[in-house]
Amino acid sequence: MSINSSRFSDIPSSWRRFVAHSIDEIVLAILCTPFFIQVMVRMETQGQVSAHWALVVYFVLVRLSYDTLSLYFFQATLGKKIMGLKVVGHFANSEREGLSFWQCATRAFGM
């Protein structure tokens, strides 16, 4: 079985992936600001760090939705788009072939 060498020659450098990931974390930090504000308000008023279960659900859903929906509709998150990267499925026949929703969701879950 031969390895498709042209497919492996298109693997982006580590620094581009790192910068793209950093941009995505900044975007997620902005989107999750309401979560952090609520935790800080609770810490100030109650004297302890606590979060209501709904806030935790919000935090998790924002993170999963950002990755899943970005990859499904654009084949890239904002950070990847800025860095000129695109996610292609392992079994894709061409770069234009998108990912399935299931592939995007499992990727967001880290599977």
Side-chain angles (χ1 to χ4, degrees):
M1 180 174 193
S2 66
I3 296 176
N4 186 351
S5 61
S6 66
R7 188 168 191 106
F8 290 109
S9 64
D10 295 336
I11 296 175
S13 65
S14 296
W15 77 268
R16 286 178 63 195
R17 292 176 55 168
F18 174 76
V19 172
H21 179 74
S22 299
I23 292 169
D24 290 334
E25 288 301 317
I26 291 169
V27 169
L28 283 167
I30 292 168
L31 293 174
C32 290
T33 297
F35 170 81
F36 295 120
I37 289 172
Q38 285 293 324
V39 170
M40 291 304 186
V41 167
R42 286 178 180 262
M43 186 174 78
E44 188 67 32
T45 59
Q46 298 174 358
Q48 62 184 4
V49 176
S50 66
H52 190 271
W53 65 269
L55 293 173
V56 175
V57 169
Y58 169 80
F59 180 74
V60 170
L61 285 178
V62 166
R63 293 194 66 90
L64 294 176
S65 299
Y66 175 74
D67 279 341
T68 302
L69 297 176
S70 295
L71 293 177
Y72 183 70
F73 289 111
F74 308 111
Q75 284 186 279
T77 58
L78 184 60
K80 288 178 180 68
K81 196 68 116 170
I82 289 171
M83 294 306 296
L85 304 175
K86 182 164 61 168
V87 179
V88 240
H90 183 68
F91 299 108
N93 293 328
S94 69
E95 267 190 40
R96 302 183 114 202
E97 190 174 324
L99 300 168
S100 71
F101 186 80
W102 180 249
Q103 287 174 314
C104 297
T106 55
R107 185 179 170 92
F109 277 102
M111 297 176 161

